[in-house]
Amino acid sequence: MSDPAGLDAQSAFSGVRPVDPGMELDLTALDAWMARAVAGYAGPLSVHQFNGGQSNPTYALTTPSRAYVLRRKPPGVLLPSAHAVDREYRVIAALHAQGYPVPRPYALCLDEGVIGTIFYVMQKVEGRILWDLKLPGLTPDERRAVYEAQVDALAALHAFDPAAIGLGDFGRPGDYFQRQVDRWSRQYRASETETIPAMDRLIDYLPRTTPAPGPVRVIHGDFRLDNMILHPDRAEVAAVLDWELSTLGDPMADLAGLLTAWVLPQDLRNGLGGLDVAAMGIPSVEAVINRYAARTGLKPASLDWLYAYSLFRLAAICQGIAGRVRDGTAVSAHARVMAAQVAPLGDLAWRFAERA
């Protein structure tokens, strides 16, 4: 994509780099822990940092015989409940046991003394991460197949009964949208760096207008195309990544998060807004909703409200990054670009709130 800084996302976020200053790992301590905790591990160990991701520092661990991925909490003072890599590990373990496409989890370390924060190690899944939603280089038929695979993976996630897969206590079962609006309002206020009138109006409006609750399901929390690995050669989801925001809640939140890409302008994050998606082979919003509904029996009651909520939440996440830029703990070199998007996202969210 082209974002406000003129970045090409596929180039900017793909691959690995040397570990950033301040994000180094104690390789001696990590090697000793891996030898104890990860079956089949054998060093020596080399480490690089992935270019993608804004929240939890993610590392590629390489040994002579195997590759791993390590996800850790970032160092420094963090917002309450943020960067919950222990929860991320738990949901991946439960879903992997059901055959859902996630990396194999190897081990969770709750001892901050090993590398300075808690972390976990999982399988490194080979395949494609497609950062640009326009999918340049693919044919229209290939684009359609990729998007349909994404929708099918979301529907498959929402087919699970949380209690039946050991996640019945993974979140509170009721008032999902009310709690989420409250959470992201508090997170926004904790990171606030300037007054943004649209965000203030949304913080007042959204909790008064939440929709009737739907069924309780496992919610990914950030179900985007660039949070999944596709098979190297075909339109098949090999692994869904980045479960940090997962919980129990209303599946419409995940569907809304996916559909938000269709209304985001091209110069605001990774949007499809204003594009001729039909000519590109990308399914329409209606086609996505119908495909999802055919597999789950669920449809959104008020798409405009869901867009307002989803964009507000996205703005609050970006504001969290802005707060970490202010505090000097932002992980990504592109964090300032994300921080600059808070006000435009808030304005767009308010326009959908007015329509709703």
Side-chain angles (χ1 to χ4, degrees):
M1 74 175 174
S2 293
D3 64 19
L7 293 172
D8 171 34
Q10 196 66 39
S11 299
F13 298 128
S14 296
V16 297
R17 64 182 185 272
V19 176
D20 293 340
M23 297 294 165
E24 299 90 350
L25 306 177
D26 182 335
L27 295 189
T28 301
L30 179 59
D31 177 79
W33 178 85
M34 297 266 297
R36 294 192 305 270
V38 178
Y41 170 79
L45 181 66
S46 64
V47 180
H48 290 81
Q49 193 168 348
F50 283 101
N51 286 324
Q54 300 288 338
S55 183
N56 292 323
T58 307
Y59 303 80
L61 310 181
T62 306
T63 71
S65 61
R66 192 173 295 176
Y68 306 89
V69 173
L70 182 150
R71 292 264 289 175
R72 67 180 293 196
K73 279 196 174 190
V77 178
L78 305 175
L79 292 175
S81 78
H83 312 285
V85 296
D86 48 343
R87 286 176 56 82
E88 192 170 325
Y89 181 85
R90 181 185 173 191
V91 72
I92 289 172
L95 291 170
H96 184 267
Q98 302 301 316
Y100 189 78
V102 289
R104 176 185 174 186
Y106 286 117
L108 170 69
C109 180
L110 298 175
D111 179 1
E112 296 183 357
V114 177
I115 64 168
T117 61
I118 69 171
F119 67 94
Y120 71 91
V121 173
M122 62 182 169
Q123 169 195 14
K124 186 175 186 294
V125 177
E126 298 301 328
R128 300 172 290 161
I129 297 180
L130 303 177
W131 293 94
D132 188 336
L133 292 183
K134 297 186 290 296
L135 304 184
L138 300 188
T139 68
D141 285 345
E142 289 170 335
R143 291 190 188 106
R144 181 175 296 103
V146 166
Y147 275 90
E148 289 176 349
Q150 180 188 21
V151 175
D152 293 350
L154 183 61
L157 174 65
H158 292 164
F160 292 116
D161 174 356
I165 62 172
L167 294 174
D169 62 347
F170 193 59
R172 288 163 54 188
D175 298 324
Y176 174 76
F177 281 116
Q178 196 76 38
R179 288 184 288 106
Q180 285 291 298
V181 169
D182 178 65
R183 174 190 177 180
W184 291 109
S185 298
R186 286 185 284 107
Q187 298 275 55
Y188 173 79
R189 294 298 191 203
S191 300
E192 193 171 10
T193 52
E194 62 178 315
T195 298
I196 300 176
M199 293 297 285
D200 292 340
R201 289 194 292 268
L202 288 159
I203 287 171
D204 173 67
Y205 166 80
L206 289 171
R208 295 188 285 104
T209 55
T210 52
V216 176
R217 294 290 185 266
V218 177
I219 303 301
H220 178 276
D222 198 12
F223 201 89
R224 305 196 315 259
L225 192 61
D226 56 18
N227 273 340
M228 55 190 63
I229 298 173
L230 294 178
H231 187 279
D233 304 315
R234 58 181 182 269
E236 177 183 307
V237 177
V240 179
L241 307 175
D242 196 1
W243 294 84
E244 178 199 346
L245 298 174
S246 59
T247 187
L248 299 187
D250 193 317
M252 288 301 100
D254 270 349
L255 182 63
L258 187 156
L259 291 173
T260 295
W262 275 254
V263 299
L264 279 171
Q266 299 168 60
D267 62 350
L268 193 62
R269 288 180 65 85
N270 196 356
L272 297 172
L275 296 176
D276 186 351
V277 292
M280 299 169 69
I282 296 173
S284 65
V285 167
E286 183 181 16
V288 170
I289 290 173
N290 289 340
R291 187 177 184 93
Y292 174 86
R295 287 155 176 77
T296 63
L298 302 172
K299 274 194 171 185
S302 174
L303 192 55
D304 285 331
W305 190 95
L306 290 170
Y307 280 144
Y309 159 77
S310 185
L311 290 161
F312 166 77
R313 178 177 172 275
L314 185 55
I317 291 170
C318 288
Q319 185 61 53
I321 295 169
R324 290 171 57 213
V325 169
R326 174 197 61 199
D327 299 337
T329 60
V331 173
S332 170
H334 312 298
R336 292 183 185 278
V337 173
M338 303 284 288
Q341 296 177 2
V342 178
L345 286 168
D347 289 341
L348 183 58
W350 181 246
R351 289 201 291 274
F352 280 106
E354 290 181 310
R355 284 174 46 174

